[in-house]
Amino acid sequence: MTFRQFRTSLREQATPKVAAVARSFFKTGPGDYSEGDKFLGLKVPQVRALVKQSDALSEDNMLLLLQSKWHEERLCALLIMVRRFEKAKQNQSVRAHLVKLYLVNTRCINNWDLVDTSAPQLLGVWLLTHDRTILDRLARSKMLWERRIAVIATQTFIRAGQFDDTLRMVRRLLGDQHDLMHKACGWMLREVGKRDKPMLVCFLENHAPQMPRTMLRYAIEHFPKAERLHFMRFRVLNCS
């Protein structure tokens, strides 16, 4: 499939109804986190199906998609990048190049779904065997989406039984003001707890009073009711 055919296919499958739903779901109104984001009107399975036909696209084509004003084209680019990264298991230079492209284009990875479908699968996998100090730089960023990349990328470490970097990122981000970061950190803590509940409990005993309410609720979502109430009361008592 040529680049022109690829883009044409995206537009042929798009519908105004899906675009309207997406604009509402992703909060694109004035002052919202995705203010002004534009949607063609495709569902994620449609996008994924097209990505499977993208092997003939050049890197320049991929970057044009990544830098597009259309959300679905940026999603396509990131899924193509992940696909090429996964196929290059035996070629570290190709993988390193894709990670570099990813990191220099974070301004285009500007919604939570774009982060969540790429950070663990690409950056997280790379950092399993490479220096992880980039996470600290991302976590210090003024850009919301870079901070989200920093914590969501650690999902790959969690799946590998490595929890220290996740807990370190969450500690750094306890004071973050954005609700999407509260949800992201709470989600990653919950994932840690699925694999090592005592470690999560220890973390909560030390940090629950400083945790935003949403972050804590996400972290303890799978706890028995009595434990959930304990940590919510613990937070309130120590914040009062």
Side-chain angles (χ1 to χ4, degrees):
M1 185 180 289
T2 67
F3 185 53
R4 178 175 292 181
Q5 290 170 332
F6 190 89
R7 273 191 147 167
T8 298
S9 186
L10 279 171
R11 283 152 179 76
E12 287 175 346
Q13 296 184 54
T15 67
K17 182 178 179 180
V18 173
V21 170
R23 286 194 297 271
S24 175
F25 181 71
F26 285 104
K27 310 297 183 186
T28 61
D32 288 335
Y33 63 78
S34 294
E35 180 177 355
D37 203 356
K38 297 181 181 298
F39 290 82
L40 290 167
L42 291 97
K43 296 181 179 180
V44 173
Q46 293 174 297
V47 174
R48 289 189 179 277
L50 276 170
V51 167
K52 293 178 182 178
Q53 305 174 55
S54 67
D55 290 350
L57 301 188
S58 68
E59 182 178 297
D60 286 343
N61 295 155
M62 182 179 72
L63 291 176
L64 281 173
L65 292 172
L66 185 58
Q67 296 162 6
S68 170
K69 68 179 181 180
W70 297 105
H71 186 101
E72 293 93 339
E73 290 196 334
R74 299 197 303 280
L75 177 59
C76 270
L78 290 165
L79 292 175
I80 291 169
M81 197 176 290
V82 168
R83 176 180 171 86
R84 294 182 179 185
F85 182 85
E86 290 174 346
K87 292 175 72 173
K89 288 182 180 178
Q90 306 305 318
N91 194 327
Q92 291 299 295
S93 63
V94 169
R95 285 192 153 195
H97 179 64
L98 288 166
V99 169
K100 181 178 179 180
L101 287 180
Y102 185 81
L103 291 171
V104 300
N105 284 283
T106 52
R107 70 188 184 283
C108 305
I109 309 169
N110 57 352
N111 218 315
W112 61 262
D113 65 316
L114 303 181
V115 172
D116 298 0
T117 55
S118 61
Q121 299 86 341
L122 196 152
L123 184 60
V125 172
W126 178 255
L127 294 180
L128 272 175
T129 54
H130 293 82
D131 182 81
R132 300 178 184 180
T133 54
I134 183 64
L135 294 177
D136 296 281
R137 181 184 70 76
L138 292 169
R140 291 193 301 268
S141 175
K142 294 181 180 179
M143 190 188 305
L144 164 64
W145 307 115
E146 289 194 337
R147 301 197 306 276
R148 189 171 176 103
I149 288 171
V151 70
I152 296 297
T154 71
Q155 186 177 36
T156 308
F157 311 158
I158 296 170
R159 290 171 176 166
Q162 302 173 21
F163 310 131
D164 288 351
D165 289 287
T166 301
L167 300 181
R168 181 166 58 85
M169 289 299 103
V170 173
R171 280 194 297 271
R172 180 181 288 277
L173 294 163
L174 283 174
D176 200 291
Q177 297 299 304
H178 205 288
D179 183 64
L180 284 176
M181 290 306 303
H182 303 168
K183 292 176 179 177
C185 290
W187 172 24
M188 291 302 101
L189 289 175
R190 187 174 70 233
E191 292 301 306
V192 169
K194 288 179 183 178
R195 293 157 178 84
D196 191 332
K197 185 175 177 180
M199 179 170 285
L200 175 56
V201 168
C202 180
F203 183 88
L204 295 175
E205 287 174 346
N206 284 288
H207 299 289
Q210 294 81 44
M211 292 172 67
R213 183 178 178 86
T214 297
M215 187 187 298
L216 180 57
R217 290 183 70 89
Y218 267 57
I220 62 177
E221 183 179 358
H222 293 163
F223 281 18
K225 183 177 180 180
E227 287 186 85
R228 295 199 307 273
L229 290 173
H230 164 74
F231 279 109
M232 294 306 295
R233 288 170 180 160
F234 180 59
R235 175 186 177 276
V236 172
L237 287 171
N238 284 274
C239 288
S240 60

